[in-house]
Amino acid sequence: MPQSPVVIGVDSSTQSTKAAFTDATTGRLLAVGRAPHRVTGEGGARESDPEVWWNALRDAVAAGLKESGVEPSAVVGIAVAGQQHGLVVLDRRGRPLRPALLWNDTRSAPQAVALTEELGGPDAWTARTGSVPVASMTATKWRWLRENDPALADATAAIRLPHDFLTERLAGTAATDPGDASGTCWYSTATGAYDPELLALLGLDESLLPPVAETGATRIGSLTAGSAAELGLPAGIAVAAGTGDNMSAAVGLGFGGAGLLDHPVLSLGTSGTVFAATRTRPASAALAGFAAADGTYLPLACTLNCTLAVDKVADLLRLDREDAAPGGEAVLLPYLDGERTPDLPAASGLLTGLRHDTTPQQLLGAAYEGAAVTVLRALDEVLRAGGLDPADPGVAARPLRLIDGSFMNVAYGWAFAEPVRKVYYNLTITGLSVAVALIIGTVELLGLLAEKLGLHGAFWDWVGGLDLNIVGLVIVGLFFATWLLAMAVWKFGRIEEKWTAGPHDGRGEKNVTPLP
């Protein structure tokens, strides 16, 4: 009996390649082959040899074929989703001239600042590209390469993004898509094409760049005989343009013009990523205003330090990633590789709140919490980009979709709750201190004015007679009374009623459980 047609979706990420084999008729996932990558560099440098990506793609496809039992003749198409922003420079034979500069390589931070100023500031960039140059964007990496290795830049015959490099190796055809191209800062989301003025600013000839396909699903060619032989697949099967990893995730979640709009998704991988599909072209300096793979837009906030930072802390403490506890008083800012959101490329990690009884497990928990806080701040920015108020209960009630295997880690469950309480408690107390100081200062100033200007009357005499210590105590008392009332209303007003399955109490009665 002939097999149903099978398609292969390749995810070439920072640290590995995954090849998903899917039944094209039913949509059933048949198998996922995997192969690792190697990232090198220190002091802000993060590089990978693009040939390693190709070898990993080959190995992942072989593993998927073996695991699924699919006959190669059943495969009818393949497409690649790749890590965004990486700069791949090629010679005339299509071979890499040097290791690719990855998205999390922060050496081009000074070039990002210079480019922002040269065009006229952040608003000038968002008006064209939807994004402001930061060290992760491809344009800054090209500027860095031209300044630090001009001979190699002059020898460059082609420039590709990571997924473009693999797509061209598959089909023998140069191509990219609007989604991944929108992460370069030389493609305009306003016009849907490369921006001639930006190319001139960068000293970049458009002939070095691949043509932009209409969508990520557009067929741009067929699998070449040479690549087919390496992959063990039939020559001539369809090769689509593919897209960036975040755009591909949006498609897989059903986001876009034919699906869900303005519903956020969180991804916890090497980086922490928050995005939503929208018809509104984003132009916020706090976000990357990407195009989506289907013609809509994808406002996105990305943090550099997520699971990778957690893993580093676990390694330093010689703990398993799962061996974590809530951080207690410990606070860890996990900006181990600088940070992209907020844009702090030169930042480093910071640990505070240590006590004699702080445990290694709490320090690891603090790393989880620090990563979570950074992602949650990014979430608020994405919601605002879609015209939504994060504080609106209706917005807060919208489902939040979680992707990436890191969410299977139980530590992230409490990590996403604990830092909110901790951080907002600290912010509230700080805000209260400021409020008390401002009010007391105002009262004191009014008293001085009355004395200097000789002002009299019931109000001025009352102000002049106030005891400032009593004023402060009254303010604090009123604040905490209001806070306790609000917490009581919130706590007892949010009750989750659920029928529990199983004879927990022998009576099958309804349990009423207050939410934390």
Side-chain angles (χ1 to χ4, degrees), residues 336-395:
L336 307 188
D337 291 319
E339 188 47 73
R340 171 174 168 178
T341 306
D343 183 23
L344 299 168
S348 59
L350 179 66
L351 177 62
T352 186
L354 288 179
R355 298 289 186 185
H356 278 293
D357 58 356
T358 301
T359 67
Q361 288 76 15
Q362 286 178 311
L363 292 181
L364 181 55
Y368 276 104
E369 293 166 7
V373 164
T374 306
V375 172
L376 289 171
R377 289 178 61 189
L379 171 62
D380 286 351
E381 293 294 340
V382 169
L383 291 171
R384 293 188 187 99
L388 303 174
D389 180 4
D392 184 335
V395 173

Side-chain angles (χ1 to χ4, degrees), residues 6-8 21 61 65 71-79 170-171 219-225 227-228 231-240:
V6 173
V7 292
I8 302 174
F21 286 66
V61 167
L65 283 170
E71 290 293 331
S73 59
V75 178
V76 297
I78 187 169
L170 291 169
R219 179 171 181 167
I220 54 89
S222 303
L223 188 65
T224 66
S227 293
L231 299 178
L233 297 175
I237 65 173
V239 177

Side-chain angles (χ1 to χ4, degrees), residues 177-179 214-217 243 247 250-251 254-261 277-279 291-298:
D177 85 298
E214 184 177 356
T215 71
T243 189
M247 293 79 192
V251 171
F255 286 14
L260 289 172
L261 293 170
T278 180
R279 294 193 187 278
D294 70 341
T296 56
Y297 298 97
L298 204 71

